[in-house]
Amino acid sequence: MFERRKKPRRPLPGSLLFHDHLVASLQAAQRGDAGLAVFYFAADGNSAQEIQGIAAGLASQFGNLRAACCVDHTAVAAIADHCFVKDDALAFAAQIVDELCGSLNFSGAGVAVYPETAQDPDGLLSAAATAAELAGKGVQHKFARPSPARTEAAAVDILAAEVGAAANHPLMDAEDLEVALQKGQLRLHYQPQIAVSSGQVIGAEALVRFCGDSGTLELPGNIIPAAEATGTITRIGEWVLETACAQAADWANQGLPSVSCAVNLSLAQVQQKSHVDRIVEIVAESGVKPCQIEIELTETSDPSDPEEVSERLKPILDLGINLALDDLGTGYATLSLLRRLPVGKVKIDRSFVAGLMDADDGVEDLRAIVEMGQGLGLTVLAEGVERAEQYATLRALGCDSYQGYFFSPALPAAEMAALLERNRSI
């Protein structure tokens, strides 16, 4: 059982205009036009009028700020378009605190930077708020780390939200997961997969989201580890597959362009005959064409006998379902394993794509993986493509397809359907 943790308060913008500014800033950052940092200044020891007054004038006082607003009358949130790295954002946050310490009593400040911390508006704002809360407590926390920037005048700790989804979104423990299943609080969103050569949408990966009692959609930070620890991973896997198959069938019935719909399963799940039989049953009963379903196998464990796993997978292949190997490069996917498992596609882990921005040898690492996959006759897809430079490099390397915020985040089913409709003329 997981230790029960208090969920961080999820801040909501005090105005629709602020949210519009945040979305616009994120879109600009995704195009590579500017950097993006979100700040959260906890100041709940002040009056609501004082906080509102500071928020109203903050953007005009600091040229790098695009917008600021009062949050829940206890804090100020702000957006900066010109913070390209975390250290710049931390230094800018310290400057703001220094200049405002005479007007407000701060308890802590938090910083979240795109794309390292999070890649969506709510994730960035939530991460910055969590970091500010931890800074106010003056404690170490695995989801935030102390900033080198500490303003002596205001004696305010400033923390940068850590990298990774678990840092940005509420945790789910065993009890949370059981409640979510019982209440039907899980949702699927679909991230488009794009052909590099044509720019057309050729598929979508089904990703789990959590919709709490407030009706706000969130990405649970550790839903898969929690599911594995509590034995509910099979139930969740079946629910995801059933929902994705039904959705793919519905898109086909609407006459939308045919695309594949990918669902994640662990290698451990498909090594049991009963699980494989259930997968075949779900797809066969859904009405979807099996060739439209793709099972992405995650390489979280080294299969002791790849030939036996291949034999277990035979009913899935015989039905016409496609198989892919997810997160290539992060675990046990050796050249030998790729040759022995009956997959038709490999997905390059996002860490290799991110490496294009961090190291001179990132391109060569990526080139080697693309050439290895295609040399084995496999389709190669790159995950986590966030910037135009990354896309350009993948195109130059001849990578087959990609997914990531450079094109689109994961979308609700209706928005994905609208995208597919537009895809007719792309």
Side-chain angles (χ1 to χ4, degrees):
M1 297 294 287
F2 284 32
E3 179 183 70
R4 187 73 177 172
R5 295 182 176 93
K6 179 183 177 182
K7 295 181 178 65
R9 180 181 57 194
R10 191 168 187 271
L12 296 174
S15 71
L16 293 176
L17 181 60
F18 178 84
H19 186 267
D20 290 344
H21 280 307
L22 182 52
V23 171
S25 294
L26 181 58
Q27 291 172 343
Q30 290 168 348
R31 293 192 302 267
D33 297 341
L36 174 60
V38 175
F39 305 98
Y40 192 96
F41 302 100
D44 49 1
N46 303 270
S47 70
Q49 290 78 10
E50 289 173 328
I51 296 176
Q52 286 175 329
I54 291 296
L58 198 58
S60 60
Q61 185 174 349
F62 295 91
N64 282 354
L65 289 182
R66 178 183 177 96
C69 81
C70 176
V71 179
D72 294 337
H73 304 296
T74 63
V76 175
I79 309 163
D81 285 340
H82 301 288
C83 292
F84 291 91
V85 296
K86 183 187 66 178
D87 287 346
D88 292 342
L90 287 167
F92 189 33
Q95 177 188 348
I96 294 172
V97 171
D98 273 334
E99 295 198 22
L100 296 183
C101 63
S103 304
L104 288 181
N105 296 314
F106 293 102
S107 58
V111 175
V113 178
Y114 171 87
E116 290 81 3
T117 307
Q119 296 84 39
D120 62 279
D122 289 343
L124 287 163
L125 193 55
S126 180
T130 300
E133 180 180 355
L134 295 167
K137 293 178 179 178
V139 297
Q140 297 289 329
H141 193 282
K142 71 176 182 177
F143 296 144
R145 54 181 169 234
S147 155
R150 176 186 170 90
T151 169
E152 295 301 329
V156 175
D157 280 325
I158 303 171
L159 300 186
E162 264 287 16
V163 176
N168 310 329
H169 301 281
L171 297 173
M172 293 193 78
D173 58 19
E175 184 179 341
D176 292 330
L177 195 53
E178 288 297 335
V179 170
L181 285 168
Q182 292 169 12
K183 289 187 174 183
Q185 293 177 319
L186 300 182
R187 304 284 188 274
L188 286 188
H189 279 195
Y190 301 85
Q191 184 164 50
Q193 298 175 333
I194 315 301
V196 170
S197 59
S198 67
Q200 284 193 302
V201 180
I202 57 173
E205 180 181 1
L207 299 170
V208 180
R209 299 292 186 262
F210 170 71
C211 187
D213 293 332
S214 66
T216 302
L217 203 66
E218 299 166 346
L219 171 62
N222 66 342
I223 188 170
I224 298 304
E228 291 174 339
T230 59
T232 56
I233 187 66
T234 300
R235 288 164 55 199
I236 290 178
E238 289 187 3
W239 174 83
V240 170
L241 184 59
E242 289 171 351
T243 306
C245 286
Q247 187 59 68
D250 182 60
W251 287 334
N253 291 336
Q254 295 179 46
L256 296 172
S258 177
V259 296
S260 64
C261 189
V263 174
N264 286 277
L265 295 176
S266 70
L267 273 172
Q269 285 178 272
V270 299
Q271 291 189 60
Q272 298 185 35
K273 183 178 183 303
S274 60
H275 292 173
V276 171
D277 291 344
R278 181 59 182 146
I279 291 169
V280 170
E281 181 182 14
I282 290 171
V283 176
E285 292 179 350
S286 69
V288 71
K289 292 181 180 179
C291 63
Q292 287 185 262
I293 299 301
E294 182 175 88
I295 303 296
E296 294 185 0
L297 302 174
T298 56
E299 45 162 333
T300 55
S301 60
D302 186 7
S304 57
D305 189 340
E307 281 74 20
E308 182 178 349
V309 173
S310 296
E311 186 63 28
R312 293 283 192 207
L313 293 169
K314 191 172 183 301
I316 293 177
L317 294 168
D318 289 345
L319 187 63
I321 301 170
N322 299 305
L323 293 176
L325 189 64
D326 198 13
D327 297 332
L328 179 65
T330 61
Y332 298 91
T334 62
L335 180 62
S336 175
L337 182 59
L338 284 174
R339 284 174 171 163
R340 295 157 77 187
L341 285 177
V343 298
K345 177 191 288 186
V346 290
K347 298 184 69 176
I348 303 174
D349 184 71
R350 64 180 58 246
S351 62
F352 289 91
V353 176
L356 294 175
M357 311 296 293
D358 301 327
D360 294 336
D361 60 355
V363 174
E364 294 308 313
D365 290 343
L366 200 56
R367 186 195 308 277
I369 296 174
V370 171
E371 291 179 352
M372 178 184 71
Q374 292 179 340
L376 292 172
L378 305 175
T379 299
V380 179
L381 181 148
E383 296 181 286
V385 180
E386 313 288 356
R387 297 177 181 270
E389 311 93 277
Q390 295 169 335
Y391 167 77
T393 299
L394 290 168
R395 187 179 180 88
L397 293 177
C399 188
D400 298 298
S401 54
Y402 75 95
Q403 67 186 75
Y405 280 83
F406 174 67
F407 184 87
S408 173
L411 302 171
E415 293 183 25
M416 185 68 198
L419 177 62
L420 294 175
E421 180 64 39
R422 296 195 300 273
N423 193 48
R424 295 177 189 274
S425 58
I426 292 178

